[in-house]
């Protein structure tokens, strides 16, 4: 399985503003890159907070949909399962919705397909898929990094500064100095005021 993340960030590494409402930092070019990654994916994964802000199917643009090999999964990971359940997501014919949550959080008669884990800890990050694209929030992305489960990271550096108490690219507990994750730059491209970065994540812990 190949796991790829895709995130647009501000110059100071923020993925949202302090209001934590739905915000899209990137340009049309950034959106086009995201669409291509979705078209290559078997599944697109988001966290519960991200989905609450934008509870819609993660589909590639119509021009990229011929690239799809099959109907992709749209995976929503939420410990509480306190998420919107709009028909526009559940009944979207272009995706297969899947909710990943704690077994104790699933109410009787829940209308969506669920994969549940036992206990109150973090969700498992092993997915039986060929290619997974993560468009998650910072907390879930950190969990994948901590589990050494991300292969590549696409980051669009946007020409804005947010500051303050706003979500970052990788929230959560954070790494100690000896455990930080190391990346190798595969490509970089400047278009307008944005910088498009493509990294490979070094597996097996931090580089010496």
């Amino acid at each position: 399985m190949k796991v790829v993340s895709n995130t647009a960030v501000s110059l100071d590494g923020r993925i949202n503003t302090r209001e934590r409402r739905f915000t899209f930092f990137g340009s049309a070019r950034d959106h086009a890159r995201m669409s291509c990654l979705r078209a290559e994916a078997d599944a697109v994964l988001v966290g519960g907070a991200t989905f609450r802000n934008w509870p819609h199917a993660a589909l590639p643009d119509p021009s990229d949909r011929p690239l799809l090999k099959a109907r992709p999964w749209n995976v929503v990971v939420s410990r509480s399962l306190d998420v919107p359940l709009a028909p526009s997501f559940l009944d979207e014919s272009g995706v297969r919705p899947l909710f990943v949550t704690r077994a104790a959080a699933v109410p009787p008669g829940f209308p969506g397909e669920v994969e549940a884990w036992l206990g109150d800890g973090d969700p498992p990050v092993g997915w039986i898929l060929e290619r997974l694209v993560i468009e998650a929030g910072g907390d879930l992305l950190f969990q994948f990094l901590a589990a050494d489960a991300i292969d590549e990271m696409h980051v669009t550096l946007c020409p804005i500064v947010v500051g303050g108490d706003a979500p970052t690219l990788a929230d959560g507990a954070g790494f100690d100095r000896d455990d930080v994750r190391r990346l190798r730059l595969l490509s970089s491209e400047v278009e307008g005021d944005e910088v498009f970065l493509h990294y490979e994540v070094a597996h097996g812990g931090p580089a010496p």
Side-chain angles (χ1 to χ4, degrees):
M1 178 183 67
K2 187 171 186 177
V3 180
V4 178
S5 71
N6 180 57
T7 316
V9 303
S10 65
L11 190 63
D12 54 335
R14 311 292 177 167
I15 60 173
N16 205 335
T17 59
R18 62 183 183 180
E19 300 100 329
R20 289 166 168 77
R21 295 195 297 263
F22 173 69
T23 306
F24 191 77
F25 287 164
S27 65
R29 169 65 189 279
D30 175 62
H31 178 87
R33 185 168 75 160
M34 178 177 66
S35 176
C36 288
L37 289 171
R38 287 176 175 177
E40 296 170 352
D42 297 301
V44 176
L45 180 144
V46 299
T50 300
F51 188 73
R52 282 190 288 273
N53 283 331
W54 199 79
H56 305 288
L59 279 166
D61 292 335
S63 59
D64 292 324
R65 289 178 197 176
L67 300 174
L68 288 169
K69 299 176 184 176
R71 193 160 57 106
W73 292 97
N74 267 198
V75 184
V76 180
V77 181
S78 170
R79 295 182 184 89
S80 66
L81 205 56
D82 179 19
V83 294
L85 296 172
S88 60
F89 177 71
L90 293 175
D91 299 336
E92 169 56 58
S93 61
V95 301
R96 292 178 287 179
L98 174 66
F99 296 88
V100 178
T101 188
R102 297 179 302 115
V106 184
F110 184 76
E113 185 171 349
V114 175
E115 181 76 25
W117 78 87
L118 299 175
D120 296 322
D122 291 332
V125 297
W127 304 93
I128 307 174
L129 296 163
E130 186 175 330
R131 185 176 175 90
L132 173 67
V133 171
I134 302 175
E135 298 177 9
D139 181 61
L140 192 57
L141 187 57
F142 173 79
Q143 291 176 42
F144 271 82
L145 285 167
D148 201 20
I150 292 183
D151 300 298
E152 296 179 13
M153 298 182 70
H154 292 264
V155 180
T156 300
L157 189 60
C158 303
I160 57 175
V161 174
V162 177
D165 181 23
T168 69
L169 176 68
D171 290 324
F175 294 113
D176 295 330
R177 183 183 63 180
D178 293 336
D179 295 325
V180 295
R181 293 300 181 257
R182 306 284 180 177
L183 311 178
R184 183 172 70 89
L185 185 64
L186 298 177
S187 67
S188 63
E189 183 181 355
V190 178
E191 182 167 315
D193 295 320
E194 288 179 328
V195 182
F196 298 91
L197 304 168
H198 181 195
Y199 289 100
E200 179 181 61
V201 182
H203 287 302

